[in-house]
């Protein structure tokens, strides 16, 4: 498999430390709010990565954290604590909102057929491990105490700028709005390992430590959890592009200084999903969640399909026209696949299976080119020489990675059904009021989403 490595900025042949086993760490959600569909795009990419590795025969051991402490509103160490702000917003405790939004996150990922990693760990369950690491960095004189907090001194790590590929001046420009002056820092990009002098007097979660009562900085959780579960050599670490700096940069610095050797070989980053006004952000107030899409009548797997159509390293702009287009395409594709199902089992053409599987693997091995993989799938469907059983065999196999339920009957979940009935009722009312223009518009809007309605004598039914 060839993958783009953000560390070397090259497409490289992927080779794990141990022949058949891949260790993979994914930065998990900060659970102060719902995930937006941009966040979910990143988790879809990581799911495709994990499943592709498995498709190529690797055993994948994957770990993900849940950030329930330490992430401030700027990714540097400034601004409000996201969890505390979330708890205040909802008049709940930090643990209550963490619990609520963790469940909401997994509810969304399940609907998107994103497999839950084997090991999922809450940041607050591993504070002892952060303390050990911070202590080690202090003993090595890589960390220092200032103003009550413990900071990492970035001048002690000579590869600090390797991942971002930027120098200190570029970074200052790139994160200008983010970096509040902290006079305790020796260098502007030194980062907090442990807060004792909390600027948040009402901080709910605090722990005893040799450096005083306090709480960990954001970056240390991923380093310590990854080291604990996946050992001193990590094959793949991934996240969204915004994680490159400072989060992953700081993770590398503190982990390699702690270990005394190189830590992770492959860094993979998914590009952002933007809306038409720019970057999607949870802290922007109104933001697009999977439930919002469902309330508007879109199936979650149509959103997964929408994401798979573009490469994970390209920015993707979300708008409803392209979502309608993808939904239609997805519904048609599904219908075509389902129409192949019949009771006569034909002989499988193994030569063709091998030929198409090879093409499909080549697409995935080409830095997870899912749009190319979908083209192979469409080619299978179009191939007049293939019988239905051969086509279905191939498609079932391809869907192990794509995970868009191509061979399953369409499941209309509660939210989608509610939406459809609401629209039907709205249309019936419009008809009663002789507002035929509105009635037609509703029918058209449903049709754009692949939902066909049919007026019977006594009722209206729908078909997807
Ligand atoms: P958070 O919950 O804010 O820690 O983010 C969870 C994941 O979503 C991280 O891997 C981020 O890099 C990623 N992410 C944040 N914003 C976007 C976006 N607009 N598009 C895609 N991924 C994003
Ligand atoms: Zn992380």
């Amino acid at each position: 498999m060839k993958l783009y490595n953000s560390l070397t900025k090259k497409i490289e042949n992927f080779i794990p430390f141990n022949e058949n086993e891949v260790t993979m760490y994914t930065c998990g959600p900060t659970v102060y709010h719902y995930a937006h569909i941009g966040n979910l795009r990143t988790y879809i990419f990581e799911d495709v990565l994990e499943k592709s590795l498995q498709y190529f025969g690797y055993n994948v051991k994957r770990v993900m954290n849940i950030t329930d402490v330490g992430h401030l509103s700027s990714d540097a160490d400034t601004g409000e604590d996201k969890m505390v702000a979330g708890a205040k917003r909802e008049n709940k405790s930090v643990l209550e909102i963490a619990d609520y939004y963790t469940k909401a996150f997994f509810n969304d990922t399940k609907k998107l057929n994103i497999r839950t990693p084997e090991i999922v760990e809450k940041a607050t369950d591993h504070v002892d491990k952060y303390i050990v690491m911070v202590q080690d960095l202090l003993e090595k004189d890589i960390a220092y105490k200032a103003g009550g907090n413990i900071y990492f001194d970035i001048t002690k790590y000579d590869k600090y700028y390797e991942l971002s590929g930027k120098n200190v001046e570029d970074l200052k420009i790139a994160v200008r709005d983010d970096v509040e002056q902290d006079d305790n820092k020796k260098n502007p990009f030194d980062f907090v390992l442990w807060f004792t002098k909390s600027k948040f007097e009402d901080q709910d979660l605090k722990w005893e430590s040799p450096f005083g009562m306090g709480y960990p900085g954001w970056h240390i959780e991923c380093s310590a959890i990854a080291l604990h579960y996946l050992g001193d050599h990590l094959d793949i670490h991934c996240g969204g592009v915004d994680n490159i700096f400072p989060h992953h940069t700081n993770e590398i610095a503190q982990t390699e200084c702690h270990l005394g050797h190189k830590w992770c070989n492959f860094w993979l980053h998914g590009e952002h999903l933007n809306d038409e006004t720019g970057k999607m952000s949870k802290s922007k107030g109104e933001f697009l969640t999977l439930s919002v899409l469902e309330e508007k009548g879109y199936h979650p797997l149509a959103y997964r399909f929408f994401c798979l159509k573009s490469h994970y390293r390209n920015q993707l702009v979300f708008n409803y026209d392209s979502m309608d287009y993808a939904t239609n395409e997805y519904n048609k594709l599904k219908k075509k696949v389902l129409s192949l199902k019949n009771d006569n089992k034909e002989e499988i053409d193994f030569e063709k299976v091998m030929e198409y599987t090879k093409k499909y693997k080549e697409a995935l091995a080409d830095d997870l080119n899912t749009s190319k993989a979908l083209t192979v799938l469409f080619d299978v469907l179009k191939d007049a020489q293939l019988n239905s059983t051969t086509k279905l065999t191939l498609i079932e196999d391809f869907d192990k990675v794509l995970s868009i339920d191509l061979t399953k009957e369409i499941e209309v979940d509660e939210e989608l059904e509610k939406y459809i009935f609401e629209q039907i009722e709205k249309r019936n009312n419009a008809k009663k009021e002789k507002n035929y223009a509105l009635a037609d518009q509703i029918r058209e809007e449903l049709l754009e989403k692949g939902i066909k309605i049919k007026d019977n004598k006594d009722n209206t039914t729908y078909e997807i």
Side-chain angles (χ1 to χ4, degrees):
M1 265 182 113
K2 288 189 190 302
L3 297 172
Y4 180 82
N5 187 350
S6 313
L7 194 63
T8 57
K9 282 124 201 104
K10 279 190 211 130
I11 302 249
E12 291 179 355
N13 246 336
F14 174 68
I15 303 168
F17 277 100
N18 297 318
E19 211 175 322
N20 275 321
E21 206 169 271
V22 177
T23 52
M24 175 172 166
Y25 186 87
T26 332
C27 291
T30 309
V31 282
Y32 69 106
H33 220 319
Y34 294 108
H36 57 58
I37 56 170
N39 301 129
L40 294 169
R41 180 189 185 202
T42 293
Y43 295 104
I44 291 172
F45 138 63
E46 292 161 344
D47 186 59
V48 168
L49 171 61
E50 179 186 358
K51 288 175 180 164
S52 299
L53 290 162
Q54 285 165 336
Y55 192 76
F56 280 83
Y58 293 111
N59 277 323
V60 183
K61 184 167 183 193
R62 178 167 169 206
V63 176
M64 184 171 87
N65 65 309
I66 300 287
T67 299
D68 55 357
V69 70
H71 195 172
L72 305 191
S73 62
S74 107
D75 282 350
D77 309 309
T78 56
E80 266 187 302
D81 179 314
K82 291 188 179 189
M83 294 302 297
V84 173
K88 256 194 230 153
R89 183 188 67 228
E90 297 186 16
N91 242 333
K92 295 199 179 113
S93 73
V94 165
L95 289 179
E96 277 168 340
I97 65 154
D99 190 46
Y100 177 82
Y101 288 113
T102 303
K103 284 193 184 118
F105 172 74
F106 286 114
N107 203 13
D108 285 349
T109 55
K110 194 167 159 224
K111 287 181 179 170
L112 289 165
N113 279 347
I114 294 171
R115 181 180 297 143
T116 302
E118 208 183 327
I119 299 169
V120 176
E121 290 296 317
K122 289 195 279 185
T124 47
D125 283 343
H126 295 277
V127 177
D128 53 335
K129 297 170 190 75
Y130 317 148
I131 293 174
V132 171
M133 260 183 99
V134 176
Q135 214 156 6
D136 176 62
L137 293 169
L138 272 172
E139 278 161 22
K140 288 179 174 150
D141 199 27
I142 289 163
Y144 61 94
K145 200 167 187 174
N149 297 329
I150 311 290
Y151 293 88
F152 183 97
D153 180 349
I154 61 161
T155 61
K156 300 281 168 75
Y157 178 64
D158 59 2
K159 289 193 273 179
Y160 188 73
Y161 300 102
E162 189 180 3
L163 179 69
S164 66
K166 293 193 162 90
N167 61 32
V168 66
E169 291 310 319
D170 289 344
L171 283 177
K172 269 190 201 158
I173 296 164
V175 296
R176 195 170 29 201
D177 299 334
D178 245 15
V179 178
E180 250 170 46
Q181 184 83 10
D182 176 348
D183 294 334
N184 295 321
K185 293 186 181 182
K186 293 188 196 164
N187 315 289
F189 294 119
D190 285 355
F191 56 93
V192 176
L193 295 165
W194 187 267
F195 289 99
T196 56
K197 267 277 174 335
S198 170
K199 40 186 189 156
F200 315 112
E201 294 307 326
D202 49 355
Q203 185 74 18
D204 273 8
L205 303 172
K206 288 182 195 159
W207 291 264
E208 281 291 357
S209 85
F211 342 106
M213 182 80 134
Y215 62 99
W218 173 35
H219 319 294
I220 197 92
E221 63 183 79
C222 291
S223 296
I225 293 174
L227 285 175
H228 181 72
Y229 289 100
L230 300 172
D232 293 355
H233 292 281
L234 181 62
D235 289 313
I236 299 179
H237 195 313
C238 40
V241 280
D242 57 306
N243 284 157
I244 293 177
F245 186 84
H247 186 46
H248 290 165
T249 296
N250 293 350
E251 274 190 50
I252 298 175
Q254 66 201 3
T255 313
E256 297 202 347
C257 286
H258 173 60
L259 289 173
H261 62 72
K262 187 173 168 117
W263 173 43
C264 175
N265 267 346
F266 274 78
W267 288 82
L268 268 72
H269 293 98
E271 251 303 345
H272 274 175
L273 177 85
N274 299 320
D275 57 27
E276 280 169 323
T277 63
K279 191 186 150 203
M280 247 178 233
S281 153
K282 279 199 249 188
S283 41
K284 252 188 186 173
E286 278 268 302
F287 57 85
L288 258 178
T289 59
L290 193 64
S291 302
V292 170
L293 288 193
E294 284 184 288
E295 280 158 20
K296 289 184 187 289
Y298 298 102
H299 196 287
L301 292 181
Y303 178 64
R304 184 170 171 121
F305 179 76
F306 169 83
C307 292
L308 295 176
K309 274 158 48 97
S310 71
H311 192 259
Y312 78 93
R313 280 199 296 122
N314 289 337
Q315 286 189 3
L316 179 59
V317 176
F318 179 87
N319 62 49
Y320 285 107
D321 282 345
S322 9
M323 188 60 207
D324 281 342
Y325 189 81
T327 302
N328 238 322
E329 220 182 338
Y330 173 63
N331 288 341
K332 274 193 204 144
L333 169 64
K334 238 185 120 127
K335 239 187 216 158
K336 214 176 252 171
V337 175
L338 289 173
S339 72
L340 297 172
K341 285 193 168 181
N342 59 44
D343 292 333
N344 329 328
K345 287 271 166 279
E346 295 139 312
E347 207 170 306
I348 296 176
D349 182 342
F350 285 106
E351 216 168 289
K352 283 281 182 191
V353 167
M354 277 178 25
E355 185 187 314
Y356 277 111
T357 307
K358 184 168 171 273
K359 284 189 186 155
Y360 183 70
K361 278 191 166 171
E362 276 165 7
L364 293 179
D366 178 13
D367 193 25
L368 307 179
N369 195 331
T370 47
S371 76
K372 225 167 135 195
L374 284 170
T375 306
V376 180
L377 174 81
F378 284 113
D379 288 346
V380 167
L381 277 171
K382 273 190 295 200
D383 191 334
Q385 289 178 344
L386 290 186
N387 63 39
S388 300
T389 311
T390 308
K391 286 184 183 181
L392 276 172
T393 307
L394 277 161
I395 292 167
E396 252 165 34
D397 184 60
F398 294 175
D399 208 34
K400 286 179 190 155
V401 177
L402 300 173
S403 301
I404 42 177
D405 286 358
L406 286 173
T407 56
K408 276 196 205 160
E409 293 295 332
I410 292 177
E411 268 175 40
V412 178
D413 69 6
E414 248 176 78
E415 264 157 292
L416 183 56
E417 181 134 76
K418 189 167 151 244
Y419 165 82
I420 297 171
F421 285 139
E422 273 168 11
Q423 297 306 304
I424 290 179
E425 200 185 325
K426 234 161 99 185
R427 180 170 165 270
N428 287 343
N429 289 338
K431 283 204 301 193
K432 263 187 225 149
E433 288 159 13
K434 301 204 177 346
N435 187 349
Y436 298 111
L438 178 62
D440 286 349
Q441 186 193 328
I442 295 169
R443 175 196 280 278
E444 277 308 307
E445 278 170 7
L446 284 167
L447 207 56
E448 272 167 18
K449 294 177 179 128
I451 305 160
K452 209 188 268 172
I453 48 179
K454 191 166 162 239
D455 293 315
N456 308 307
K457 217 170 129 217
D458 310 313
N459 64 354
T460 306
T461 48
Y462 72 90
E463 192 183 285
I464 291 190

